[in-house]
Amino acid sequence: MSTDVDGILRRTALFDAHLALGGRMVPFGGFDMPVQYAGILKEHDAVRKRAGLFDLSHMGQFELRGASVGEWADALTINKVATMKPGQARYNVFTNERGGAHDDVIFYRLADERWLLVVNAANADKMWAHVGAERSGDVQLTDLRGERALIAIQGPRSVEWLQPFVGVELAPMKYYACAEAAVRGSRTPAVIARTGYTGEDGFELFLPASDAVAVWDTLLSEYRAHGLEPCGLGARDVLRLEAGMPLYGHEMDEEITPLQAGLAWAIKFDKPAFRGKAALEAQRDGGDFSRIAGLSMQGRVPARAGYPVLLDGAPVGEIRSGSWGPSVQKNIATALVSAPAATAGTRLAVEVRGTAHVASVEPLPFYRRPKI
Amino acid sequence: MAETLPAGLLYSKEHEWVKVDGDLATVGITDYAQSSLGDIVYVELPRKGAELEQFKSIGVVESVKAVSDLFTPVGGEVTEINDAIEGDPAVVNRDPYGAGWLYKVKLGDHSQTGELLNADQYQQVVSES
C-alpha cells in the first residue's frame, strides 16, 4: 500500500539501530519495523513497571497551517478541533458519509495557525489524498513523511528519565498537552506531547529524522541499565489492547463507525455539521447496532482476529483483536457483536478451530494504570 | 543461533525434534523454533491415544501475537503428553529440549526416522532460514 513504486519496504531513520539491538523486523504499514527485540512479555513488563522506548516514525505526520484549519477540520471529523488551544492535543476520527472511519488521528495545536496531524502508517497515503482533496480556505498542507521521526517513551518512569534531556518542564504538562522544545541530541526543537498508546504515562517526541539516532541512542545508553527497554510493535499492540484503545483496521474501519467502536465520547453531535453526522445520528437513535465489546476468555486458549463469536449457539459476531494480556493474566479480546451480546457480564462462546470456548463480556479497558 | 544442537536427536524441516528410544519417540520443538515464535502462551496438543500421521499438522503453538501449526515429525499412537505445559507454556521457551518436551509417540513404522535430519543437516536448514 505505502511501499514505494518497486514494492520495497521503507525504513525509518532508526533501522540500523533496530538491527543492532537485535530487533526482529516485519513489514508494517509499508515499513520494515521491529515487532520485538528481547521479547514481547519483557518489553510489556518494562512499559508497565519502568519505561519502554518505541520507534513510531512510520506514522504519518502532516503539518497544517492557516487561520481556517480548525473550522476546516471540524467539518471532516467527529471531535472538536477549532476549540483546541495552542499546546493541546486531541484524539479525533476522520469519517466518511456513512459514519465509517477513514482514520483515527491526533491533532496537535502548536500555535494559533500551526498544527501537527498524526495519522496511522497504513492510512497515510489515503489520508494525504483525503486532506488534499478536501483542502479549502487558507489551509496549507505539508507532508512531513520522510523528514520526521517519532520516538515515544512510555511508562511510569517517563517524566524522570526524559526530563534531563528536554527543555520543557514535563511534570506540570497535562495528559494530551504538547510543547515545542529543545531535545538534547537534536539540532532543531521537537514537538513533545504527553500522548501515547500504551495506557501508561509517557511522551511522544516528533523530531527531524536526522536527529532520531542521537536521541534514541542517548536515552538508551543512559537508562538501559536501569531497565529502559526498546519495544517493538508487538508489545505496543498488547499494551493498547489491555488499555482498551482501538486499532484502525481492527476495532474501526471504513465500515465500523466510531460509535460502534465505543468512541461516543469523541463524537460531538452539537457541532452544526460534520462528515457522516446524519449517519451517526441515525445509528445512535436506532440503537440496535453491532458494537465492539471486550471479552475475557475462560481457560488458556487465546481468541484471535476473525474467530466466530456465539451467543446461545447462534453467531453474533467475530473477534477483532485478541492476545494474552500479561497485566491481567488472562486471554483478552475485542469482538464486534450484536447489541444484546455486548452487555457486560454476558456469557459468550468463541469458536477456536471448531471448538467453542467460554468468554465473558467485560467493560473496557481491561487495564487501568494505578493513579498516584 | 549458532548454539550446538543436542546430540542423539533427529530433526524435521519444520523445526521439531525427536528422540527415539526403542519403540517410543519423544517430540518437541527446537530452540530455533521457540526463539522464532517468541513468548509461548498456549500449546494445543493431540489427545492421548490419538493416531498421528507423519508430517501432518497435529496441533498449534501460540505465542503472544501469533498462531503457528505444529507438525509431527513421526507418526504413531500418542502415549503421553506433557501435562506441565498447560499450566506453564513458557517451559517450552525455557527448556525446549528438556522439560518443554511436547508428547510421546509409539512408533508405528521405524523407517519413518529415515525421513528426518541429523544435527548437521538441521543446522544447515536453520542457517538458511
Side-chain angles (χ1 to χ4, degrees):
Chain A
M1 177 190 302
S2 51
T3 47
D4 67 18
V5 282
D6 300 321
I8 293 170
L9 292 172
R10 291 175 185 163
R11 295 174 173 183
T12 75
L14 293 166
F15 181 81
D16 291 341
H18 300 318
L19 295 187
L21 289 164
R24 188 169 301 158
M25 308 304 284
V26 299
F28 185 84
F31 284 78
D32 207 5
M33 296 298 290
V35 65
Q36 65 165 72
Y37 306 83
I40 291 176
L41 296 181
K42 187 175 181 192
E43 295 163 29
H44 170 282
D45 188 66
V47 173
R48 291 278 182 252
K49 294 187 180 141
R50 299 176 305 277
L53 202 61
F54 297 81
D55 175 19
L56 307 173
S57 307
H58 59 306
M59 298 195 72
Q61 299 183 41
F62 306 150
E63 185 184 67
L64 317 174
R65 282 176 183 267
S68 59
V69 167
E71 286 176 347
W72 168 79
D74 268 329
L76 299 173
T77 64
I78 60 171
N79 208 339
K80 287 185 178 174
V81 186
T83 57
M84 292 170 61
K85 294 180 176 65
Q88 282 186 338
R90 194 169 284 172
Y91 178 80
N92 210 334
V93 179
F94 279 83
T95 31
N96 60 38
E97 287 292 354
R98 303 181 304 284
H102 285 316
D103 197 14
D104 65 332
V105 304
I106 296 180
F107 282 86
Y108 298 84
R109 190 167 200 172
L110 305 176
D112 275 338
E113 299 191 5
R114 201 159 50 84
W115 310 66
L116 174 65
L117 174 63
V118 178
V119 305
N120 282 296
N123 289 334
D125 287 346
K126 177 177 81 175
M127 285 301 295
W128 180 245
H130 180 60
V131 293
E134 297 289 344
R135 200 193 66 79
S136 68
D138 71 344
V139 174
Q140 299 169 54
L141 306 166
T142 309
D143 190 352
L144 300 176
R145 284 180 293 167
E147 298 168 29
R148 289 284 194 95
L150 169 48
I151 294 173
I153 182 169
Q154 298 277 301
R157 306 286 288 274
S158 295
V159 170
E160 178 194 341
W161 285 353
L162 183 60
Q163 186 61 76
F165 300 94
V166 297
V168 58
E169 276 297 312
L170 297 176
M173 281 178 77
K174 291 183 173 143
Y175 189 50
Y176 270 71
C178 60
E180 285 178 288
V183 178
R184 201 192 300 175
S186 176
R187 284 175 286 265
T188 354
V191 175
I192 301 173
R194 202 163 193 166
T195 49
Y197 194 51
T198 61
E200 295 301 328
D201 189 15
F203 296 86
E204 296 184 303
L205 309 177
F206 305 86
L207 65 176
S210 55
D211 293 333
V213 170
V215 172
W216 177 270
D217 286 350
T218 300
L219 287 168
L220 273 185
S221 65
E222 192 72 23
Y223 298 116
R224 197 151 188 217
H226 301 278
L228 177 69
E229 285 286 330
C231 296
L233 297 178
R236 180 169 154 89
D237 190 45
V238 176
L239 290 157
R240 72 92 196 163
L241 180 61
E242 288 184 334
M245 295 170 159
L247 172 63
Y248 192 89
H250 289 256
E251 284 75 30
M252 196 179 353
D253 61 22
E254 296 279 351
E255 308 309 323
I256 305 173
T257 71
L259 197 57
Q260 292 174 281
L263 296 170
W265 62 269
I267 309 175
K268 306 305 179 196
F269 285 110
D270 62 339
K271 288 202 293 188
F274 61 90
R275 187 73 49 89
K277 182 181 178 185
L280 288 170
E281 280 174 338
Q283 191 171 58
R284 176 196 63 187
D285 295 343
D288 188 30
F289 52 88
S290 63
R291 63 199 68 192
I292 294 292
L295 265 56
S296 80
M297 303 289 291
Q298 273 180 22
R300 308 268 327 187
V301 184
R304 306 289 186 181
Y307 290 179
V309 178
L310 315 171
L311 172 60
D312 299 329
V316 287
E318 67 164 29
I319 300 293
R320 301 297 300 182
S321 297
S323 173
W324 171 250
S327 298
V328 291
Q329 286 293 301
K330 59 189 177 187
N331 285 302
I332 54 174
T334 61
L336 183 66
V337 294
S338 64
T343 313
T346 306
R347 206 176 141 92
L348 300 172
V350 178
E351 197 179 305
V352 183
R353 295 178 288 276
T355 306
H357 293 267
V358 176
S360 58
V361 178
E362 200 177 306
L364 294 171
F366 299 104
Y367 167 86
R368 221 182 274 277
R369 73 172 176 262
K371 291 281 182 234
I372 303 156
Chain B
M1 285 320 300
E3 289 165 50
T4 47
L5 293 164
L9 304 184
L10 295 170
Y11 300 88
S12 71
K13 287 177 182 144
E14 279 85 21
H15 308 288
E16 287 91 22
W17 58 262
V18 189
K19 185 180 179 194
V20 178
D21 185 6
D23 277 347
L24 206 61
T26 306
V27 176
I29 65 170
T30 64
D31 187 54
Y32 174 83
Q34 71 76 20
S35 166
S36 304
L37 289 163
D39 301 306
I40 293 169
V41 298
Y42 178 68
V43 183
E44 188 171 281
L45 294 172
R47 277 188 300 276
K48 199 171 158 178
E51 279 291 336
L52 307 184
E53 206 178 317
Q54 190 180 25
F55 301 134
K56 288 286 162 63
S57 167
I58 50 93
V60 297
V61 181
E62 303 202 26
S63 61
V64 177
K65 291 286 297 150
V67 184
S68 303
D69 278 318
L70 181 64
F71 299 93
T72 187
V74 285
E77 184 192 333
V78 178
T79 59
E80 193 179 344
I81 62 167
N82 185 353
D83 291 326
I85 292 174
E86 188 175 355
D88 179 21
V91 69
V92 181
N93 290 117
R94 292 196 306 271
D95 192 6
Y97 298 116
W101 65 276
L102 301 181
Y103 57 92
K104 294 182 182 181
V105 189
K106 186 168 184 283
L107 279 180
D109 175 3
H110 277 267
S111 70
Q112 287 184 352
T113 56
E115 309 279 316
L116 298 171
L117 310 173
N118 64 30
D120 285 346
Q121 291 166 322
Y122 178 64
Q123 195 70 265
Q124 188 67 24
V125 169
V126 168
S127 65
E128 284 165 8
S129 345

